[in-house]
Amino acid sequence: MLITDQNPFNKSIMIALLGKPNAGKSTLINYLLGFDLTIVSPMPQTTRNQFHCAFTVDTTEVVLVDTPGVHSSSKELNIRMNGQAQYGSEGADLNFLLIDVNKDIIEEAKSFMKEFEKDLRRTWIIFTKIDRADLSTIDFDEKFEALKEIIPNAEKYYTISAKEGTNVHTLTGDICDTATEGPHLYPNGTVSNKNERFFATEYIREQTFRILKDELPYEIAVVIEDFQDGFKDAEKEISRDTKISASILVNRPSQRAIVVGSKGKNIKEIGTCARKKIEAMVGDRVHLNLHVKVSPKWFKNNFVLDEIGLPRTHKSNRVWRKK
Ligand SMILES: Nc1nc2c(ncn2[C@@H]2O[C@H](COP(=O)(O)OP(=O)(O)OP(=O)(O)O)[C@@H](O)[C@H]2O)c(=O)[nH]1
Ligand SMILES: [Mg+2]
């Protein structure tokens, strides 16, 4: 997209947020944006797709690329998620490698690099969740020196808490100082390269993480069947609410019963909570119609994986092509 009439003093920077699952990538993005755009959960592998999240500070545009946490798996869904992390970092000017300081820092970096399989170009190390750590027991300078053996292009490090905002302002200042002169990628006010349909599926999936425990959210995908934008015509005094119909795909019939819940309790709660978040996004009333569909082994099905925005990678398995 070419935006004409740009301020000649415009600056921009694109940063890919990378790391193991649960490192706090999406939480940091939401903190920097100032609102909850991307979904977060206490469980690993919440983010499945790479996408842009944009904001501006004066004349500087910052594009943050959220990516799925890189992990080891031979399953097709997970292979494609890892591929998204690689793809997300490709066009970026800078990488942030997020590492939870409550884990074994060096092991986390090693296992990230093993699965990522590519050298990281210019990288800043972001040590996360410092609010939960005993900082007197961690020598960050020493850890950073050891990390440089694993990631030679690591330039510097930050210690942050995205939950409490600790040191995030320093990071924001340094991001803006690092941005270079150039045109903005997105018009002012555009926050993502993904559309409302995508975020509607994410907000429904987010509720499945919150309401359904254990392994079930990993075997769930959400597909929009129909999305009709609402409209208001004040002159003619007519209006229509946004109408969304979505399917929650599960792998087995027994999972369908759990998602629905006793007397429909779970599906109702998923729908109500997701609807509120979608309404905040579209700025309008929303009718959300959810169905649960059994789609055996959807996570191996090429059609479903393509539909949810996860293309094949060079490591992809043989997959079902059934529609
Ligand atoms: N205490 C604390 N918790 C945090 C912090 N940052 C993130 N979390 C929590 O860590 C969990 C995972 O956060 P996410 O932002 O979803 O992590 P992620 O790296 O995006 O995870 P994936 O999408 O699975 O790769 C959530 O429960 C967050 O609330 C932090 O600075 N402090
Ligand atoms: Mg995430």
Side-chain angles (χ1 to χ4, degrees), residues 21-27 41-42 45-47 69 129 131-132 162-163:
N22 209 253
K25 300 175 289 297
S26 304
T27 307
S41 96
Q45 297 168 34
T46 304
T47 304
K129 306 193 189 183
D131 56 292
R132 277 177 35 194
K163 204 156 210 175

Side-chain angles (χ1 to χ4, degrees), residues 2-3 53 99 101 132 157 181 225 228 233 243 249 309:
L2 185 67
I3 313 164
C53 306
I99 303 178
V101 297
R132 277 177 35 194
Y157 75 84
E181 269 181 30
E225 309 287 357
Q228 293 178 29
D233 188 328
K243 279 190 184 164
L249 307 188

